[in-house]
Amino acid sequence: MRRVFLHLCFSLAFFTAYSQGAKDAVKLKPTGISRPKLVVGVVVDQMRWDFLYRYYDRYSATGGFRRLLQQGYSCENTFIPYAPTVTACGHTCIYTGSVPAIHGIVGNNWWDNQLMRDVYCTEDKSVSTVGSTTTAGQMSPANLLTTSIADELKMATNFRSKVVGVAIKDRGGILPAGHSANAAYWYDSKVGKWISSSYYMKELPEWINRYNEKRLIDQYYAQGWSTLYPIDTYTQSTMDQKDYEGNPFGLESKGFPYDFKKFAGTNYSAVNITPFGTTMTLDVAKEALKAESMGADATTDFLAISLSSPDYIGHAFGPNSVEIEDTYLRLDKELGSFLDYLDQKVGKGAYLVFLSADHGVAHIPGFMKENKLPAGTVDDLAWKNDMNKMLAAEFGKDNLIASLMNYQIYLNHGFIDSAKLDENAIEERIIKYLEKRDGVSRAFKTASISSTTLNAHVKDMIANAYFPKRSGDVQIILDPNWIDSGAKGTTHGLWNPYDAHIPLIWYGWNIRPGKTNREIY
């Protein structure tokens, strides 16, 4: 994946940090335009590569996915080269051409032993919310240690380029846009408004205030969510209303059609778990492009878009659900409309689009078991509590484990040092405990990755995400199709291809139609 994105940088005549050379990754055709007026990055949160073709026969001839595949260049075997495969890491790696071991974004959250608390990837207590009275805007790219493609573009044009990030999730808008972005906007689910941070601006621009004043969310809720086509034609999905699917809209919501009228004026987060979240995001992106005159002159601008709703929907209902199939059929139409908008506003052939994903997703274990396939779930919180009790009994001190996240165990180093305990012995005892748990394939010290008996590729993925100041002390690898989740829904995060195989398509300026089956990491 790093090599492909370096090719993008050379195409734009600037360089990214920490990348390696590309060869034959993207076929170019001459257009007479020395560089694109606008680059648009579209990251679909939680899009498995197979979704490109699983629903292909039902994608519209005027939609987005067929257009991208037929007129663009697809890198069919693009794999994430690190684990954990989660949102913050995925967006950061795409836009930096680097890995967590270098850029420092090792998860959506990580444990900080100096602060003795959980740290969120884009948290920044030194800035304030712009656009609402909540704390949802106390965010910035301060925890990102490297530059992004957008930063390099800004430097290459002496900061004349405009860079804007847009996503429902703050991390999906902030991390791609980088440090020097003109703005990043995200959705405050507590108040139903798009907001930003004082890191970027003192007050919201009028165009986004006008958008917020429309209160389109209530219109979405009044419309409800019905399938785009008759539900009995959704042959790529299991039956609706499976017990192992989540109930994000309440226990009384039993599948299609979903009635959202009860949420109007009271619940502003439910929209995230519907295709309307994508509609809303692309509408804001269009408004930003128009209001900021992006792509209007010879200086290349960058619009970084992350579509968060597929991730919320996928976690709740899983990749085999009617909800996900309908989400992608609707997303196809939305992308087609957005490409039409770019043709109109920027000019066909004058902009460059790439579409990718931050990670994939595992099947819901209940679905797997229903079809006699191996799978399972683990309760990592119960593990943490059990291990702390065990360690207290053996070492005489409580709470020796500070946290368990990103499939890693973080020790309470300060407490262990002050008590003069044997840290190595504590780690070995934790590993012995984990090795006896159902669903655990491996457990080993993260500082000893190189000497661990493990498949070389998997070992490299773990090493690529090891940043000592922010990584844990013991790494856990689960068996295939095992996840750390409850009885309903699913998740992602490990090395497996269902988490790591993602789409990567190039379209527009200087891109010759075609594809490569070469593996790209």
Side-chain angles (χ1 to χ4, degrees), residues 218-329:
D218 288 342
Q219 295 181 28
Y220 299 146
Y221 286 158
Q223 181 178 338
W225 184 9
S226 299
T227 53
L228 189 61
Y229 305 108
I231 196 168
D232 59 1
T233 66
Y234 284 64
T235 58
Q236 291 299 321
S237 310
T238 56
M239 291 176 58
D240 199 19
Q241 304 180 41
K242 288 288 187 176
D243 289 341
Y244 46 72
E245 294 180 347
N247 305 103
F249 309 123
L251 294 176
E252 71 282 2
S253 294
K254 302 290 186 180
F256 288 103
Y258 289 105
D259 185 350
F260 298 145
K261 293 184 181 66
K262 63 183 178 181
F263 296 141
T266 60
N267 182 329
Y268 299 107
S269 62
V271 69
N272 298 343
I273 321 171
T274 75
F276 300 124
T278 292
T279 304
M280 183 170 63
T281 304
L282 290 175
D283 281 348
V284 172
K286 291 175 185 177
E287 292 294 328
L289 188 150
K290 180 172 62 176
E292 302 296 338
S293 299
M294 300 183 76
D297 56 33
T299 302
T300 303
D301 297 323
F302 207 120
L303 180 59
I305 304 169
S306 175
L307 304 177
S308 308
S309 287
D311 183 68
Y312 290 114
I313 298 166
H315 274 290
F317 299 103
N320 294 89
S321 62
V322 176
E323 286 82 359
I324 276 292
E325 183 170 355
D326 195 66
T327 292
Y328 278 89
L329 296 180

Side-chain angles (χ1 to χ4, degrees), residues 49-304:
W49 168 84
D50 60 301
F51 288 170
L52 284 175
Y53 298 101
R54 183 170 186 172
Y55 314 123
Y56 184 86
D57 291 343
R58 304 200 74 186
Y59 288 146
S60 171
T62 59
F65 287 123
R66 283 199 181 196
R67 193 182 316 182
L68 292 173
L69 288 168
Q70 292 173 359
Q71 300 177 32
Y73 193 86
S74 179
C75 301
E76 300 283 88
N77 279 302
T78 301
F79 288 85
I80 293 171
Y82 57 84
T85 44
V86 296
T87 298
C89 303
H91 285 78
T92 307
C93 291
I94 287 173
Y95 281 85
T96 64
S98 186
V99 291
I102 295 172
H103 60 59
I105 304 298
V106 298
N108 296 331
N109 302 72
W110 55 82
W111 181 260
D112 188 304
N113 263 303
Q114 291 183 325
L115 298 176
M116 287 304 294
R117 67 173 177 85
D118 183 343
V119 171
Y120 179 61
C121 58
T122 54
E123 70 169 57
D124 187 345
K125 307 301 183 184
S126 71
V127 299
S128 57
T129 303
V130 174
S132 81
T133 58
T134 74
T135 59
Q138 290 186 304
M139 305 289 171
S140 83
N143 289 323
L144 173 60
L145 303 179
T146 65
T147 56
S148 74
I149 294 173
D151 287 321
E152 297 295 329
L153 173 61
K154 294 278 281 189
M155 287 190 284
T157 62
N158 198 24
F159 299 92
R160 295 190 304 275
S161 295
K162 298 169 187 172
V163 173
V164 176
V166 177
I168 287 177
K169 296 180 182 179
D170 49 65
R171 57 188 182 271
I174 292 171
L175 295 170
H179 299 275
S180 58
N182 297 75
Y185 302 101
W186 54 95
Y187 180 65
D188 187 340
S189 297
K190 291 184 178 179
V191 296
K193 292 182 179 180
W194 286 78
I195 64 168
S196 190
S197 160
S198 61
Y199 178 86
Y200 303 101
M201 62 193 72
K202 293 181 179 179
E203 58 185 20
L204 291 179
E206 277 306 306
W207 66 265
I208 203 162
N209 281 326
R210 289 194 298 270
Y211 181 86
N212 284 332
E213 289 168 2
K214 293 178 182 179
R215 308 303 293 178
L216 295 176
I217 300 167
D218 288 342
Q219 295 181 28
Y220 299 146
Y221 286 158
Q223 181 178 338
W225 184 9
S226 299
T227 53
L228 189 61
Y229 305 108
I231 196 168
D232 59 1
T233 66
Y234 284 64
T235 58
Q236 291 299 321
S237 310
T238 56
M239 291 176 58
D240 199 19
Q241 304 180 41
K242 288 288 187 176
D243 289 341
Y244 46 72
E245 294 180 347
N247 305 103
F249 309 123
L251 294 176
E252 71 282 2
S253 294
K254 302 290 186 180
F256 288 103
Y258 289 105
D259 185 350
F260 298 145
K261 293 184 181 66
K262 63 183 178 181
F263 296 141
T266 60
N267 182 329
Y268 299 107
S269 62
V271 69
N272 298 343
I273 321 171
T274 75
F276 300 124
T278 292
T279 304
M280 183 170 63
T281 304
L282 290 175
D283 281 348
V284 172
K286 291 175 185 177
E287 292 294 328
L289 188 150
K290 180 172 62 176
E292 302 296 338
S293 299
M294 300 183 76
D297 56 33
T299 302
T300 303
D301 297 323
F302 207 120
L303 180 59

